[in-house]
Amino acid sequence: MVLQTQLRRILPLPFAQIERGPVCEDPEHLPEVLEALLDHASRRGILRLSVMPYWAGEAKGRVERILKQHGFADRQSFGGRHARSLRLDLACLPADNPFAGSALSKVRHEIRRAERAGAIARRGEKQDLVTFQEMHEQLLHLESKRAPGAAWYDALAEYFLMSEEQGAMFVCEHEGKVVAAIFVARHGTLATYVMGASSGSALHFPKMILPMACAIAWARRIGVASFDFGGIPMKGDKDAKRASIAEFKYSFSRTDISLVHEHVRWF
């Protein structure tokens, strides 16, 4: 999917991006795909094209070399889409008690704290989207960002609530109210935390802990091999908010991976 920037959602601008792609089965297909993209973008009057194929490990270096060969330059920033992540090997988790062991002691402690406070986690339902939308819009408002339209939230429901083959939504309930919600996508044997939001109410436990634990247990049950926590800051990033989010994710895993950076080409 190629997204073109619009001024006030009306006037198209000559800037385009592929948020997590292009998606290829193998890096060897990337040159052909890039050539097609460049041709398409040029014919549409695009002046700046941003790409970020989601590859890690040995493939990361190959992909970045191919991008440079096609005129793309590394433009990754601390505030851009994440280029590092944490992953948890679900096969290593005990079937009867997934969070046993010293490595996950902090997770167990926070789960018990949330449960003592009366919080519960469950699969999200369509009616929970209303609450999620309120929490998400409040978060965007605090960040001075524009909220998406109603169709965007409808698309979330259609994708994450229809089939376990695609993903699932999980929520945390406290005193009868949803106080946090997360979305997890499934890509074959990999489950990835995509996004989440929580209420502004002050509680005595991490509001995301139970939904995340529930998502991990769900992923293991349906045969997923690895859980991706969706991003941690790059080394050298001193942003306090991103550091706080990373600290929460580190309680689940310390296995970090590096991803292909955002690359940009000007025409």
Side-chain angles (χ1 to χ4, degrees):
M1 180 181 290
V2 182
L3 305 176
Q4 185 171 357
T5 304
Q6 292 185 333
L7 181 63
R8 299 186 182 277
R9 300 185 181 181
I10 299 175
L11 179 64
L13 297 178
F15 309 119
Q17 62 178 326
I18 303 177
E19 291 190 341
R20 285 296 183 186
V23 178
C24 304
E25 184 178 11
D26 190 281
E28 70 179 19
H29 304 311
L30 187 57
E32 183 179 358
V33 173
L34 286 175
E35 289 164 12
L37 279 172
L38 292 173
D39 179 64
H40 176 76
S42 179
R43 287 188 283 109
R44 292 291 297 266
I46 298 300
L47 298 180
R48 183 185 188 273
L49 178 63
S50 166
V51 300
M52 197 173 183
Y54 204 78
W55 288 92
E58 293 181 2
K60 174 180 179 292
R62 292 170 58 195
V63 168
E64 291 186 335
R65 285 193 296 273
I66 293 171
L67 290 172
K68 290 177 181 178
Q69 290 167 2
H70 284 76
F72 287 86
D74 188 333
R75 290 293 181 267
Q76 184 67 36
S77 65
F78 289 144
R81 290 170 182 81
H82 70 264
R84 291 180 70 216
S85 188
L86 295 172
R87 287 186 181 173
L88 178 64
D89 182 358
L90 301 183
C92 295
L93 303 182
D96 56 339
N97 186 5
F99 304 108
S102 58
L104 295 171
S105 60
K106 185 175 181 180
V107 173
R108 290 198 307 277
H109 172 76
E110 298 294 2
I111 288 175
R112 287 196 295 267
R113 194 150 67 102
E115 291 174 340
R116 285 197 299 268
I120 62 168
R122 59 173 174 80
R123 288 284 294 271
E125 301 173 352
K126 191 167 185 179
Q127 58 266 30
D128 297 320
L129 263 295
V130 176
T131 305
F132 170 77
Q133 182 173 345
E134 293 172 354
M135 295 187 299
H136 186 241
E137 289 180 346
Q138 179 62 27
L139 175 64
L140 293 176
H141 175 73
L142 293 174
E143 297 176 347
S144 300
K145 296 179 180 178
R146 186 194 296 268
W152 188 83
Y153 294 100
D154 291 340
L156 279 182
E158 182 179 351
Y159 189 89
F160 288 97
L161 300 180
M162 296 298 291
S163 169
E164 285 191 340
E165 291 300 316
Q166 297 178 165
M169 176 187 184
F170 301 89
V171 302
C172 176
E173 246 185 37
H174 182 252
E175 296 182 347
K177 296 180 181 179
V178 173
V179 296
I182 68 171
F183 295 88
V184 177
R186 179 185 182 184
H187 304 103
T189 59
L190 176 68
T192 302
Y193 166 77
V194 176
M195 64 182 301
S198 60
S199 70
S201 57
L203 298 175
H204 297 296
F205 60 89
K207 286 170 276 193
M208 291 288 193
I209 191 72
L210 290 183
M212 192 69 82
C214 190
I216 291 169
W218 163 80
R220 192 185 187 288
R221 177 179 59 79
I222 63 174
V224 170
S226 182
F227 194 96
D228 188 314
F229 289 91
I232 56 174
M234 297 172 63
K235 293 179 180 179
D237 186 352
K238 300 185 184 304
D239 183 85
K241 181 179 179 181
R242 289 193 287 269
S244 176
I245 294 173
E247 189 59 32
F248 170 75
K249 295 178 180 181
Y250 275 126
S251 63
F252 287 92
S253 175
R254 291 279 172 176
T255 304
D256 66 282
I257 60 167
S258 295
L259 300 159
V260 173
H261 287 185
E262 179 183 11
H263 282 68
V264 170
R265 167 162 171 164
W266 288 87
F267 291 82

